[in-house]
Amino acid sequence: MDMDKLVSLCKRKGFIFQSSGIYGGINGCWDFGPLGVELKRNLKNDWWYNFVQIRDNMVGLDASIITHPEVWVASGHVEQFHDILVDCKECRKRFRQDHLETERCPECGGELSEPKAFNSMLRTRLGVSDDTAVETYLRPETCQSIFVDFKDIYSSTRVKIPFGIAQIGKSFRNEVNPRNFIFRSREFEQMEIEFFCREEEEEKWFAQWQEDIWAWYLSLGIKESALRWYEHPKESLAHYSKRTVDVEYEFPFGWGELQGLANRGVYDLTQHSKHSGKDLSFFDPEKNERYMPTVIEPSAGADRTTLAVLCDAYDEDEVNGETRVVMHLAPKLAPIKAAILPLVKKDGLAELAENLEKKLRKKFITYYDHAGAIGRRYRRQDEIGTPYCVCVDFETKENGTVTVRDRDSMEQVRIPMDDLAGYIGTRVSFERD
Ligand code: ATP
């Protein structure tokens, strides 16, 4: 699949635009348009449903993006999270050393400068007057507030170890080289879980999360052959990690990380206890024992997963001698669930279809369209991944039935109008029995 085709479809159809486009854009920032916002929201809701709602050992959090600056000293971001950069002496482009595969400039082959450290956290000042304003950061990851709030959460709920805290929210990194559409941005959304368990159970929970994460990607309709695990070698693990594996997807530009699964041990709670002076250990009243829980962290990117879903869904096939662009999005993720189309505008079919659409809109997102030949209207929906097209025709007037066309098989079934909400509703829902 050609990445340019996807980027152009995303812009043309209102999935994703460059941010501040009329001002020439701003590097590393993206806007999700009317279809993109629905797609990404469906993805996040499905994640929350799977990893929080249906589990009895998970709770949620929505913490502030700006925190006390000491949080990032304790986490190690201020001191240790320095990306190592090199500049090309010829074309002046800048690269992260760990992203380079050769010792020369990947753009022009020029000689590279000596490496230097660069902190990727975005700084901001909180407060109105210059002398009292506090310098702090926009969070580079959502997980730290989970550790900071750990005690408030476990003392305000009835959670018992093992349990996890989940959060979805924006993160910011001053990436040196934002690239590959929304894959590497400077502002993005993460979906993170910190799962607290006893050290002796760390391997069991690590394996369980690995299994659950894999199953979730498959449930999004992503081809299993385009997914793989990457195990980080011991010598290149982040300072807080005892073990890290990543889920990678084969993008048109190569394999790229969608999610990391790390065993963070007791690092974060210990650091925050030390820096805040508040003991963040856990007291188990049943065993009458106090200990620092071990943390298993599944950390996923909402934007990268959205991109993987879009890449995987894109397809071109041939219908009646014409090329059809079709997005095979999983029905639970598709932005529009059903298009309601009158066969023709006249003879009261348009009114009938419009009324039907108004009714269905209360159940799921629908779209009404009467412009152009019915075949063209089907194609427009295929291109944005709408799984079902409902056609209101002359038979509808006679016996109240409509046809429902399936996007992937293009087969049509005729069903009573009154059954539509149930028929489509169950097929587009992310709920399980
Ligand atoms: P990379 O090595 O690609 O920079 P990372 O290992 O630093 O990623 P993590 O810190 O593990 O990433 O973040 C967890 C998840 O957040 C990643 O798997 C990814 O999905 C997402 N993510 C991280 N950085 C970005 C970014 N710049 N743009 C979009 N998503 C990102």
Side-chain angles (χ1 to χ4, degrees):
M1 199 266 296
D2 182 349
M3 208 52 203
D4 291 342
K5 281 190 183 170
L6 182 73
V7 175
S8 133
L9 182 142
C10 283
K11 184 173 162 65
R12 203 159 26 84
K13 294 291 174 183
F15 278 97
I16 302 163
F17 316 112
Q18 196 180 20
S19 165
S20 320
I22 61 166
Y23 290 100
I26 180 162
N27 208 1
C29 302
W30 298 93
D31 295 345
F32 284 74
L35 294 186
V37 67
E38 297 297 342
L39 172 64
K40 189 155 74 143
R41 194 169 30 202
N42 288 340
L43 184 103
K44 290 185 287 181
N45 287 345
D46 184 56
W47 185 88
W48 195 266
Y49 175 78
N50 263 284
F51 294 118
V52 184
Q53 186 180 331
I54 62 172
R55 293 168 192 252
D56 58 7
N57 59 3
M58 290 290 305
V59 292
L61 175 71
D62 184 11
S64 66
I65 286 173
I66 299 173
T67 57
H68 194 291
E70 195 62 21
V71 169
W72 306 106
V73 177
S75 69
H77 283 76
V78 171
E79 272 305 309
Q80 295 177 39
F81 269 63
H82 286 284
D83 290 335
I84 307 297
L85 300 190
V86 288
D87 292 318
C88 172
K89 291 182 178 168
E90 315 266 317
C91 71
R92 303 266 153 226
K93 288 228 167 82
R94 185 164 268 196
F95 305 95
R96 243 170 79 175
Q97 198 180 33
D98 59 333
H99 288 164
L100 291 177
E101 281 164 12
T102 62
E103 286 176 8
R104 313 279 306 180
C105 170
E107 298 275 329
C108 73
E111 195 190 331
L112 297 170
S113 68
E114 283 300 307
K116 48 179 179 272
F118 160 87
N119 195 307
S120 66
M121 279 196 294
L122 268 88
R123 281 164 208 269
T124 189
R125 287 174 71 81
L126 205 62
V128 281
S129 67
D130 276 354
D131 46 338
T132 56
V134 180
E135 180 160 284
T136 184
Y137 308 93
L138 303 185
R139 64 182 178 201
E141 57 185 32
T142 57
C143 65
Q144 289 305 322
S145 43
I146 297 182
F147 299 123
V148 174
D149 290 353
F150 176 68
K151 205 167 180 173
D152 277 339
I153 292 172
Y154 90 70
S155 53
S156 61
T157 54
R158 299 180 64 202
V159 286
K160 275 199 259 126
I161 282 179
F163 78 96
I165 304 172
Q167 175 163 224
I168 298 180
K170 289 265 185 175
S171 291
F172 303 81
R173 292 183 195 177
N174 217 345
E175 292 280 357
V176 183
N177 243 336
R179 63 182 181 281
N180 294 329
F181 199 21
I182 57 170
F183 179 82
R184 186 172 300 287
S185 322
R186 288 183 167 139
E187 173 177 337
F188 54 94
E189 270 183 291
Q190 290 185 309
M191 307 183 287
E192 294 196 296
I193 293 168
E194 306 308 318
F195 193 80
F196 302 91
C197 63
R198 300 182 78 95
E199 192 184 5
E200 48 280 22
E201 294 201 323
E202 62 184 4
E203 279 173 29
K204 174 186 129 185
W205 284 111
F206 197 96
Q208 184 64 54
W209 279 108
Q210 223 178 334
E211 199 179 295
D212 292 1
I213 289 168
W214 193 257
W216 183 65
Y217 284 109
L218 297 185
S219 86
L220 302 180
I222 297 180
K223 284 185 281 297
E224 196 161 13
S225 57
L227 290 168
R228 72 175 184 195
W229 286 106
Y230 169 74
E231 172 104 34
H232 286 247
K234 281 257 170 313
E235 57 283 7
S236 59
L237 285 176
H239 62 277
Y240 53 76
S241 175
K242 283 166 91 174
R243 185 184 173 198
T244 302
V245 293
D246 294 340
V247 178
E248 294 187 333
Y249 175 76
E250 192 173 20
F251 288 99
F253 46 82
W255 288 92
E257 175 186 331
L258 297 182
Q259 165 149 212
L261 174 66
N263 178 345
R264 298 179 76 113
V266 297
Y267 177 79
D268 304 271
L269 290 177
T270 309
Q271 282 295 103
H272 287 298
S273 293
K274 235 189 265 168
H275 282 253
S276 67
K278 307 281 180 320
D279 179 10
L280 297 180
S281 61
F282 181 80
F283 180 70
D284 183 339
E286 277 160 29
K287 295 201 167 129
N288 201 18
E289 192 189 336
R290 181 169 285 285
Y291 63 97
M292 248 342 154
T294 285
V295 171
I296 307 296
E297 177 196 66
S299 166
D303 308 82
R304 282 192 191 175
T305 307
T306 302
L307 183 61
V309 159
L310 284 166
C311 289
D312 218 66
Y314 187 95
D315 194 17
E316 290 174 12
D317 57 14
E318 218 183 279
V319 178
N320 304 330
E322 268 185 52
T323 304
R324 169 178 89 134
V325 173
V326 52
M327 295 293 273
H328 295 289
L329 292 171
K332 66 177 177 178
L333 298 181
I336 294 170
K337 305 303 184 192
I340 318 300
L341 317 168
L343 182 64
V344 289
K345 236 172 101 176
K346 54 183 197 285
D347 295 329
L349 294 189
E351 290 75 21
L352 203 54
E354 267 180 307
N355 286 336
L356 178 61
E357 197 257 345
K358 278 201 193 99
K359 231 167 87 186
L360 290 174
R361 180 170 279 277
K362 292 180 185 149
K363 306 279 177 199
F364 39 75
I365 296 197
T366 53
Y367 188 78
Y368 171 81
D369 184 10
H370 63 222
I374 189 80
R376 286 264 154 268
R377 282 180 274 155
Y378 283 151
R379 299 289 171 279
R380 283 204 286 270
Q381 295 304 318
D382 291 342
E383 213 181 351
I384 58 172
T386 306
Y388 298 104
C389 283
V390 175
C391 184
V392 172
D393 57 15
F394 294 106
E395 223 181 302
T396 315
K397 274 173 74 177
E398 280 165 29
N399 61 13
T401 63
V402 289
T403 63
V404 183
R405 171 186 177 272
D406 179 281
R407 173 197 68 203
D408 300 334
S409 67
M410 288 185 283
E411 271 164 22
Q412 301 190 15
V413 289
R414 186 168 276 283
I415 63 168
M417 247 190 319
D418 292 344
D419 294 352
L420 271 179
Y423 181 90
I424 297 176
T426 49
R427 286 168 170 76
V428 300
S429 164
F430 50 71
E431 286 169 25
R432 301 191 214 150
D433 282 330

